[in-house]
Every structure is written in C-alpha cells, then in structure tokens.
C-alpha cells in the first residue's frame, strides 16, 4: 500500500541515482547505463566483503548478460523521470525486451543538469538536495521519517515493533508460535513506549491473517510442485518424456521453515505498526527506506538493542521542509562521539553482565546496538568514536580500549562487524571489545 499512490522505487542504494544520472549526462545508452549500474553494485559488494567471498567472475557474467540488472536500471531511470531530471522516454517492460532498447539514449532536463553538476562538485550537498526531492515526490518517505522521529512534527523519536524469535523447543508448531507472537505484541502494547498504539484485537487479526495467508501460499506452491514432479515421473516411467539434462530439473520451492514463519510474522508486525503510526507501507518499502535514511545519517535501526525482542528504529537527525528548501541537522561530530565514549564503560558493563560469560569481552555489535539506541545516534558515529579511541586519538579517556578479531559470537546479517583501516588498503575486522580501567592498570604492582 502506498500513501498518495506514489510507491517507493525498488532501489537498494541511493547511489544508483547518482550513477544513472551521471551516465545520462555522459550520453550513455540504456545498455551502457545498465553496465554502469552493475559496476556500482559490484563496487558496493566489494566494499562490503569482509570474509573473502567476493567473486569477480560473477560480476563479469552480469556485465555480459544484457538481461542482468535491467529492473534496477529501469527503476532508476523511472525515478529520474519522476523527479523531473530526465526527459520521459519509453523503457523496457521486461529483461527479455531490453535488447530492443539497448541503443536508446536519454536527455537530462535543465534541473537534471543542475543536480549532476552539483553532486559532482559537492557530493554531500548533492545528496541533501536529492533527499529533499525524494521527500517531495514520495509521501511514504516523508511519513517514514516522521514516524521514526526525523521530522519537526514527529510525536516520537523512535518506532518499536515487538518481535518474537522461534528458538529451540519453545513452540511445538506454527499455531503455537503465531499465538505467542500475538501475545508478545499485545503485552508490549500494554506496556507502551512503542511510538504507536492500537487495539489488541486489531493486532491479532492483522498478524494472524497476514501470516496464515503467506503460509498457505507457500504450502500451495510446494503442493503444486510435488504434483508436477509426480506427474513428470509417471510420464517418464512410460516413456512419454525424455530425461532432462543434468542440472535442468525444476527446483523445489523453499520449505516452510520456522525462520520463514517468523519472517512472515515480522512482515505483518512491521506493516501493522507503520499503519498504526499513520504511514501505511509494505515491508519491502520499509526495508528500502531504512537503508536510505541510514545512508543519509537520518535514522538507524537494530534488532539487538537491550530489552524485549523487537525491531527498533530511531531518528539520528532531523529534516525540515522538502524539495529545494529542505534543511538537515544530524547527530554527528565531536560532541556525539564524546558522549558515546563517556557512556561506553556503563554499556560494556551491562553487556558483560547480560552475557554472563565472565571474560569481560563483549560482542562489538551488541555494544553498538545498545549504545546507538540509548544515545539515539548512527552506527557510523559509534564506529568512528571507537576507532578514534582505539587509535589513541582521544585524550582524557579513563579506559583503554582493546579490540580483538576473535569471533566469540556470529555477527548477525542485519549488521556489520567493526572494520578499522590500519594501513592503506588493509582492513582489520574486529568482533569483540573490552575496556581496561587505566587507574587500576597504573595502581597494579
């Protein structure tokens, strides 16, 4: 569902807009813009690779496949046209039809020329302008920022979506888990502080209906696939069809696992929470907007902040106005980092007590989640503050910060480990941290 009928473009990265706009400015064809999009996606993947899993050959294949990244290319060009930065032109409707549009070139409007020149000269200012235009074009984006606390008229500085993990033998089947999930949401609502309110009956209906429908859809796909497989086996047994080539067998649809059921419940909870907060949106739009706002330093999120299991989203800046008149304030810089470091001993102590491991070491991602949530700041500011302290660039700290590459606990996929560049081109990945009291070290014999 969209607000004002203008949905969020399916762009994982705002940098794709810059990539495509600059390609249009160069006079690139659709095919050349597609390749530029693949190159940008490759660059992002290469930067995010921390375990050596990056494979260059994969991206070479994508560059040579004219159907690869067509949807992304079409979406970004549509967005540039919607913003009024590129003249309207017919675009491919499917990846298969892209070859017929490969030679097509596009024209920047006067405003498009102004923005490409601006973002080339001052990237930060250019992206601020972009966000202002996106706010004017997409009411959902404005609503998202308002709901999480990043607009002047926000009524809360955060939005909390209660969640429940299906762990071990806590729930015997899907029905038990669904009922427990709803009960957890209702209990959290009664306690308050979520940034939204609703009637318990509405929560129960929304979550059960959405999750049950999604589960039935998966089960139907599996049943159809099984029926097709059995029918094909019968035909093959009587010689009605030839054996398929190795590797050409139709893949079975994903199974209905506990993880998928929990994901359906999360999708339902997120949709319901945003609707209750006054900004209806689908789950994918919420994922995209939290990426955009995180990239722009306007909001942060975590599944792992201390407290009952929940997805928490909070503002790390404020946007006033929209369009060319949009102005920005962000929680960044020395005062923010000083406050983070001042709070670090207490937060690390709390995390040490929660873990009950007795080593004094804490998972960096857990400390980051707690610190950023409590201080209402971004992951980037936490990482910058910790890097400064680790390198000895902060005077007067009562502690010495030790970082270690040993991975005591796996870093979840929704967050990243701490990365410190120690030399040009050399990145060290740290998973755990510990603070040592300087006074005790000096007093020790």
């Amino acid at each position: 569902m969209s607000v004002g009928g203008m949905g969020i473009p399916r762009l994982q990265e705002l940098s794709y807009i810059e990539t495509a706009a600059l390609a249009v400015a160069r006079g690139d064809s659709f095919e050349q813009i597609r390749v530029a999009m693949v190159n940008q996606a490759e660059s992002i993947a290469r930067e995010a690779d921390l375990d050596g899993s990056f494979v260059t050959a994969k991206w070479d294949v994508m560059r040579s496949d004219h159907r690869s990244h067509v949807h992304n290319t079409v979406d970004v060009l549509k967005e540039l046209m919607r913003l009024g930065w590129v003249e309207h032109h017919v675009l491919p409707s499917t990846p298969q039809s892209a070859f017929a549009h490969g030679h097509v070139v596009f024209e920047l409007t006067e405003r498009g020329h102004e923005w490409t020149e601006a973002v080339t000269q001052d990237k930060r200012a250019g992206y601020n302008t972009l966000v202002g235009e996106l706010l004017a074009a997409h009411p959902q984006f404005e609503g998202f920022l308002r709901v999480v606390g990043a607009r002047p008229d926000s009524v809360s500085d955060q939005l909390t979506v209660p969640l429940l993990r299906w762990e071990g033998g806590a729930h015997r089947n899907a029905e038990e888990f669904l009922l427990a999930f709803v009960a957890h949401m209702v209990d959290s609502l009664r306690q308050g502080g979520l940034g939204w309110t609703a009637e318990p009956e509405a929560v129960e209906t929304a979550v059960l209906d959405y999750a049950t429908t999604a589960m039935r859809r998966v089960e139907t796909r599996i049943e159809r696939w099984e029926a097709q497989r059995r029918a094909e086996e019968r035909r093959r047994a009587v010689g009605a069809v030839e054996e398929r080539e190795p590797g050409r067998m139709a893949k079975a649809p994903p199974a209905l696992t506990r993880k998928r059921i929990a994901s359906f419940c999360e999708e339902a909870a997120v949709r319901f929470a945003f609707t209750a907060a006054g900004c209806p949106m689908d789950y994918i739009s919420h994922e995209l907007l939290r990426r955009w706002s995180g990239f722009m330093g306007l909001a942060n999120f975590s599944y792992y902040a201390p407290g009952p299991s929940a997805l928490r989203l909070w503002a790390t800046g404020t946007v006033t106005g929209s369009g060319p008149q949009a102005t920005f304030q962000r929680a960044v810089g020395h005062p923010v980092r000083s406050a983070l470091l001042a709070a670090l001993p207490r937060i690390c102590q709390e995390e040490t007590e929660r873990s009950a491991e007795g080593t004094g070491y804490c998972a960096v991602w857990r400390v980051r989640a707690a610190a950023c949530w409590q201080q209402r700041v971004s992951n980037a500011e936490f990482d910058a503050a910790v890097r400064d302290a680790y390198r000895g660039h902060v005077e007067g700290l009562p502690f010495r910060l030790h970082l270690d590459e040993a991975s005591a606990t796996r870093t979840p996929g929704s967050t990243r480990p701490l990365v410190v560049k120690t030399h040009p081109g050399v990145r060290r990945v740290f998973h755990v941290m510990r603070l040592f009291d300087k006074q005790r070290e000096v007093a020790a014999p």
Side-chain angles (χ1 to χ4, degrees), residues 34-35 38 41 57-69:
R34 184 196 67 80
V35 172
V38 174
K58 163 188 169 182
W59 298 96
D60 291 338
V61 171
M62 289 185 182
R63 267 185 288 272
S64 62
D65 182 356
H66 300 300
R67 298 167 298 178
S68 175
H69 276 61

Side-chain angles (χ1 to χ4, degrees), residues 4-65:
M6 191 65 72
I8 299 302
R10 288 343 196 197
L11 298 175
Q12 289 287 335
E13 306 290 341
L14 285 181
S15 61
Y16 290 160
I17 294 179
E18 177 189 3
T19 297
L22 293 179
V24 173
R26 292 193 299 267
D28 287 358
S29 65
F30 180 88
E31 172 61 13
Q32 290 171 317
I33 297 171
R34 184 196 67 80
V35 172
M37 293 286 287
V38 174
N39 291 341
Q40 177 63 10
E42 178 187 23
S43 176
I44 293 170
R46 188 189 299 274
E47 181 64 24
D49 174 40
L50 300 175
D51 60 6
S53 60
F54 182 87
V55 179
T56 302
K58 163 188 169 182
W59 298 96
D60 291 338
V61 171
M62 289 185 182
R63 267 185 288 272
S64 62
D65 182 356

Side-chain angles (χ1 to χ4, degrees), residues 240-306:
V241 296
E242 297 181 359
E243 290 285 345
R244 291 194 177 196
E245 297 177 12
R248 294 290 300 276
M249 289 294 293
K251 290 185 179 180
L256 185 59
T257 61
R258 293 177 176 182
K259 183 177 180 181
R260 290 195 76 188
I261 294 171
S263 295
F264 293 146
C265 290
E266 178 184 339
E267 292 174 16
V270 167
R271 288 165 61 100
F272 185 85
F274 272 94
T275 299
C279 182
M281 71 175 65
D282 61 83
Y283 186 81
I284 294 177
S285 293
H286 131 268
E287 283 192 307
L288 293 170
L289 291 177
R290 76 187 190 190
R291 285 179 71 92
W292 293 7
S293 54
F295 175 77
M296 291 301 299
L298 298 172
N300 202 4
F301 78 93
S302 178
Y303 289 95
Y304 305 102

Side-chain angles (χ1 to χ4, degrees), residues 90-146:
V90 176
L91 294 166
S93 57
T94 65
Q96 290 72 24
S97 64
F99 74 94
H101 299 256
H103 65 286
V104 173
V105 295
F106 304 87
E107 294 290 334
L108 287 177
T109 64
E110 183 177 347
R111 290 176 57 216
H113 280 293
E114 291 174 356
W115 187 76
T116 54
E117 292 175 6
V119 78
T120 301
Q121 296 172 5
D122 186 339
K123 190 177 291 287
R124 184 182 182 86
Y127 273 85
N128 281 345
T129 298
L130 171 61
V131 169
E133 297 292 345
L134 290 171
L135 285 171
H138 299 289
Q140 271 189 322
F141 190 17
E142 190 282 332
F144 177 92
L145 292 177
R146 174 171 39 79

Side-chain angles (χ1 to χ4, degrees), residues 178-195:
L178 290 178
L179 293 177
F181 191 101
V182 170
H184 174 61
M185 285 194 71
V186 170
D187 184 58
S188 299
L189 265 173
R190 290 189 178 124
Q191 295 179 39
L194 302 181

Side-chain angles (χ1 to χ4, degrees), residues 158-396:
Q158 57 85 28
L159 180 81
T160 297
V161 184
L163 301 176
L164 189 66
R165 296 186 181 92
W166 192 336
E167 297 177 345
H171 310 99
R172 292 176 297 178
N173 52 46
E175 182 179 1
E176 282 192 4
F177 177 76
L178 290 178
L179 293 177
F181 191 101
V182 170
H184 174 61
M185 285 194 71
V186 170
D187 184 58
S188 299
L189 265 173
R190 290 189 178 124
Q191 295 179 39
L194 302 181
W196 58 278
T197 59
E199 293 297 324
E201 295 78 8
V203 173
E204 180 177 1
T205 299
V207 173
L208 293 182
D209 285 356
Y210 183 94
T212 301
T213 300
M215 290 164 56
R216 286 174 180 166
R217 192 177 295 122
V218 171
E219 290 169 343
T220 299
R221 290 196 189 104
I222 293 173
E223 290 171 0
R224 288 176 177 171
W225 181 85
E226 285 287 354
Q228 291 172 355
R229 182 184 62 80
R230 289 193 296 267
E232 187 169 320
E233 287 180 351
R234 288 193 296 268
R235 290 196 299 271
R236 187 177 296 113
V238 298
V241 296
E242 297 181 359
E243 290 285 345
R244 291 194 177 196
E245 297 177 12
R248 294 290 300 276
M249 289 294 293
K251 290 185 179 180
L256 185 59
T257 61
R258 293 177 176 182
K259 183 177 180 181
R260 290 195 76 188
I261 294 171
S263 295
F264 293 146
C265 290
E266 178 184 339
E267 292 174 16
V270 167
R271 288 165 61 100
F272 185 85
F274 272 94
T275 299
C279 182
M281 71 175 65
D282 61 83
Y283 186 81
I284 294 177
S285 293
H286 131 268
E287 283 192 307
L288 293 170
L289 291 177
R290 76 187 190 190
R291 285 179 71 92
W292 293 7
S293 54
F295 175 77
M296 291 301 299
L298 298 172
N300 202 4
F301 78 93
S302 178
Y303 289 95
Y304 305 102
S309 179
L311 165 62
R312 295 174 173 86
L313 305 101
W314 61 93
T316 59
T318 305
V319 188
T320 302
S322 63
Q325 286 73 44
T327 59
F328 299 79
Q329 288 184 319
R330 296 178 174 88
V332 297
H334 179 71
V336 170
R337 297 176 190 180
S338 295
L340 276 167
L341 294 174
L344 208 52
R346 171 182 54 80
I347 293 172
C348 284
Q349 180 61 34
E350 292 171 351
E351 285 301 314
T352 299
E353 293 171 356
R354 266 190 287 269
S355 68
E357 293 180 357
T359 64
Y361 282 91
C362 307
V364 173
W365 56 272
R366 287 197 178 277
V367 175
R368 182 199 286 131
C372 291
W373 167 247
Q374 293 173 20
Q375 301 289 316
R376 296 295 197 266
V377 297
S378 68
N379 293 343
E381 287 302 298
F382 173 88
D383 289 2
V386 169
R387 289 188 194 106
D388 288 344
Y390 174 71
R391 291 165 174 159
H393 296 167
V394 183
E395 297 182 357

